[in-house]
């Protein structure tokens, strides 16, 4: 037992001698943040190193797309980030439309913005509830699901699905709004603004336990965030004011007025939390403007019955709930994509764990993972 003793004494009895422990967090059940394994190296309860181990949910989405027609790929995109499914459809539709040179009707563009921003609100709501639950708060989880279910009811009325929609089409959207849909939408937005958000902040935002668990935990300086390719709320939580909707507009986002919330320069879990909560308010502003200016007309443009884009390649990106979601698409002139590649913000943000975690306690690692808002379906695509 020479490896456990020194001069006849156990190592843990010798002053100045420290022993590290390597533990596994996960693989976790899909009902949490996805099937993820974290290899954590600890000195007591203090983290010295962290390594994410991914690949438990791999579904061959990119390779599978090569055997599908261009319209046939659309339903599979939903299953990447299944909590922000509309944005998967959106970025893929934009890529195919760019290859084809198709003009999307005005009404369809507005419907895309409305359903997209509504999806951002729903995504941030479930993140808020699960993040609070990760830190031991049950009530915010139940409250957030109350509003989320109302939003999912709207999606069900619109397209028949509550989670994986297949609503977007190449050239527009599948169908127009059903009667009374906008009235229900306005009612839900009013409730979230006037009732739900004040309740969330009263329950959780100023809670001393939450502030102790989040402030100063998992800091990510702006320089590190940019260097590692962080985007979305993770980047903005570090004080970098970058949002594709404002800084590289797509669709019709240049027509709307909204703020880009940011945190402090050395953004921590609390900053990332506040950015997402403020983004809910800004998304509601965008939806109200889009509803106000919603034009008439068709919701689907003219698209060939057999979609065969000319040979070429494109890359497009959108501002999803978790950051910059990109789609690289290459055509060889046939009816199937030659190559499709997904730019996943969640994959990028997982690489930040070794940067943000050392020096904190094992309990803090739970808060740090929750604060970057990962969906493993997008990582293991």
């Amino acid at each position: 037992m020479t490896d456990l003793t020194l001069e006849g004494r156990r190592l843990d009895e010798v002053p100045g001698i420290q022993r590290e422990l390597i533990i596994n967090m996960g693989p976790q059940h899909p009902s949490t943040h996805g099937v993820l394994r974290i290899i954590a190296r600890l000195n007591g309860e203090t983290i010295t190193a962290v390594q994410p181990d991914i690949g438990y949910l791999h579904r061959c989405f990119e390779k599978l797309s090569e055997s599908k027609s261009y319209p046939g790929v659309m339903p599979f995109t939903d299953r990447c980030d299944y909590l922000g499914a509309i944005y998967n459809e959106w970025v893929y539709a934009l890529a195919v439309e760019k290859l084809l040179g198709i003009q999307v009707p005005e009404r369809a563009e507005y419907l895309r913005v409305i359903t997209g921003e509504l999806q951002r609100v729903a995504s941030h709501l479930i993140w808020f509830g699960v993040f609070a639950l990760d830190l031991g708060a049950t009530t915010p989880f139940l409250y957030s699901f109350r509003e989320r279910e109302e939003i999912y009811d709207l999606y069900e009325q619109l397209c028949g699905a509550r989670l994986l929609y297949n609503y977007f089409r190449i050239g527009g959207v599948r169908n127009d709004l059903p009667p009374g849909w906008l009235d229900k939408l306005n009612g839900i937005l009013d409730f979230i603004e006037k009732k739900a958000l004040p309740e969330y902040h009263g329950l959780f935002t100023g809670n001393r336990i939450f502030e102790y668990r989040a402030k100063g935990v998992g800091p990510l300086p702006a320089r590190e965030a940019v260097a590692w390719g962080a985007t979305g709320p993770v980047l903005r939580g570090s004080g970098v004011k970058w949002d594709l909707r404002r800084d590289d507009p797509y669709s019709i986002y240049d027509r709307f007025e909204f703020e880009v919330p940011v945190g402090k320069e050395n953004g921590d879990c609390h900053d990332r939390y506040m950015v997402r909560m403020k983004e809910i308010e800004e998304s509601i502003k965008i939806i109200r403007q889009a509803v106000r200016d919603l034009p008439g007309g068709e919701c689907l443009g003219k698209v060939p019955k057999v979609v065969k884009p000319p040979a070429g390649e494109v890359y497009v990106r959108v501002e999803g709930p978790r950051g910059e979601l990109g789609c690289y698409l290459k055509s060889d002139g046939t009816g199937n994509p030659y190559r499709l590649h997904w730019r996943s913000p969640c994959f990028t943000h997982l690489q930040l764990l070794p940067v943000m975690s050392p020096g904190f306690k094992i309990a803090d690692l739970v808060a740090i993972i929750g604060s970057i808002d990962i969906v493993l379906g997008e990582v293991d695509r």
Side-chain angles (χ1 to χ4, degrees), residues 291-303:
V291 170
R292 179 196 66 198
D293 300 335
L294 182 64
E298 299 294 326
C299 60
L300 185 62
K302 294 182 179 180
V303 182

Side-chain angles (χ1 to χ4, degrees), residues 57 73 78 104 156 175 182 194 214 226 243 305 321 340 349 363 370:
L57 202 63
V73 173
D78 283 326
V104 178
E156 186 176 16
N175 56 269
L182 287 178
K194 298 175 183 178
V226 173
D243 189 312
K305 289 185 178 180
L340 183 149
H349 296 158

Side-chain angles (χ1 to χ4, degrees), residues 69-190:
S69 67
Y70 282 92
V73 173
M74 187 68 77
F76 292 91
T77 63
D78 283 326
R79 289 149 176 81
C80 293
D81 177 3
Y82 39 81
L83 300 179
I86 283 288
Y87 287 92
N88 303 328
E89 300 176 16
W90 201 344
V91 72
Y92 175 72
L94 286 174
V96 181
E97 288 158 7
K98 191 172 181 179
L99 279 173
L100 289 170
I102 289 178
Q103 184 68 34
V104 178
E106 281 281 292
R107 185 172 179 86
E109 292 282 21
Y110 276 86
L111 293 179
R112 285 181 173 186
V113 170
I114 291 170
T115 54
E117 292 304 319
L118 191 63
Q119 179 78 96
R120 192 186 311 275
V121 173
S123 177
H124 284 356
L125 284 176
I126 189 173
W127 170 82
F128 163 70
V130 173
F131 182 59
L133 191 63
D134 285 345
L135 300 184
T138 305
T139 305
F141 174 79
L142 300 175
Y143 278 33
S144 67
F145 264 64
R146 175 187 62 191
E147 282 70 64
R148 177 174 173 262
E149 285 301 301
E150 293 289 336
I151 292 175
Y152 278 14
D153 285 344
L154 281 176
Y155 280 116
E156 186 176 16
Q157 294 168 20
L158 177 64
C159 61
R162 298 174 64 84
L163 191 67
L164 308 175
Y165 310 108
N166 192 23
Y167 176 61
F168 282 29
R169 290 291 184 270
I170 299 168
V173 294
R174 190 184 75 180
N175 56 269
D176 212 331
L177 303 176
W181 195 87
L182 287 178
D183 292 334
K184 294 178 182 178
L185 170 65
N186 287 324
I188 291 173
L189 297 183
D190 286 341

Side-chain angles (χ1 to χ4, degrees), residues 108-380:
E109 292 282 21
Y110 276 86
L111 293 179
R112 285 181 173 186
V113 170
I114 291 170
T115 54
E117 292 304 319
L118 191 63
Q119 179 78 96
R120 192 186 311 275
V121 173
S123 177
H124 284 356
L125 284 176
I126 189 173
W127 170 82
F128 163 70
V130 173
F131 182 59
L133 191 63
D134 285 345
L135 300 184
T138 305
T139 305
F141 174 79
L142 300 175
Y143 278 33
S144 67
F145 264 64
R146 175 187 62 191
E147 282 70 64
R148 177 174 173 262
E149 285 301 301
E150 293 289 336
I151 292 175
Y152 278 14
D153 285 344
L154 281 176
Y155 280 116
E156 186 176 16
Q157 294 168 20
L158 177 64
C159 61
R162 298 174 64 84
L163 191 67
L164 308 175
Y165 310 108
N166 192 23
Y167 176 61
F168 282 29
R169 290 291 184 270
I170 299 168
V173 294
R174 190 184 75 180
N175 56 269
D176 212 331
L177 303 176
W181 195 87
L182 287 178
D183 292 334
K184 294 178 182 178
L185 170 65
N186 287 324
I188 291 173
L189 297 183
D190 286 341
F191 183 84
I192 293 175
E193 275 189 319
K194 298 175 183 178
K195 176 74 173 175
L197 284 174
E199 281 183 342
Y200 300 162
H201 291 306
L203 277 168
F204 196 64
T205 304
N207 186 285
R208 290 184 180 181
I209 298 175
F210 166 61
E211 291 188 346
Y212 179 79
R213 293 291 306 274
K215 286 189 174 181
V217 175
L220 181 66
R223 180 174 296 182
E224 290 280 0
V226 173
W228 282 88
T231 55
V234 175
L235 177 65
R236 292 189 286 274
S238 297
V240 180
K241 205 164 190 176
W242 175 261
D243 189 312
L244 291 177
R245 296 171 296 174
R246 186 199 68 171
D247 299 301
D248 188 15
Y250 54 94
S251 185
I252 53 172
Y253 273 107
D254 56 349
R255 306 180 188 181
F256 305 115
E257 295 181 2
F258 60 97
E259 295 296 323
V260 178
V262 294
K264 299 176 182 178
E265 188 174 352
N266 294 319
D268 53 22
C269 290
H270 190 270
D271 287 318
R272 292 186 281 274
Y273 166 82
M274 290 306 302
V275 164
R276 290 190 180 92
M277 298 306 288
K278 291 176 182 177
E279 282 187 1
I280 293 176
E281 300 175 18
E282 297 305 319
S283 289
I284 292 175
K285 288 182 185 177
I286 295 173
I287 294 172
R288 291 197 187 281
Q289 293 174 66
V291 170
R292 179 196 66 198
D293 300 335
L294 182 64
E298 299 294 326
C299 60
L300 185 62
K302 294 182 179 180
V303 182
K305 289 185 178 180
V306 179
V307 178
K308 289 186 177 181
E313 56 186 353
V314 297
Y315 176 77
V316 296
R317 55 186 183 171
V318 299
E319 186 68 39
R322 284 153 194 84
E324 182 179 313
L325 178 63
C327 177
Y328 167 79
L329 193 60
K330 185 173 183 178
S331 169
D332 59 359
T334 65
N336 297 356
Y338 177 78
R339 179 74 173 97
L340 183 149
H341 176 66
W342 224 236
R343 195 275 183 192
S344 162
C346 295
F347 177 82
T348 301
H349 296 158
L350 267 180
Q351 316 312 309
L352 294 169
L353 289 181
V355 179
M356 297 189 293
S357 303
F360 293 95
K361 303 297 184 184
I362 188 66
D364 296 326
L365 183 57
V366 176
I368 296 170
I369 293 173
S371 75
I372 61 176
D373 191 15
I374 52 172
V375 171
L376 267 295
E378 183 182 276
V379 176
D380 295 339

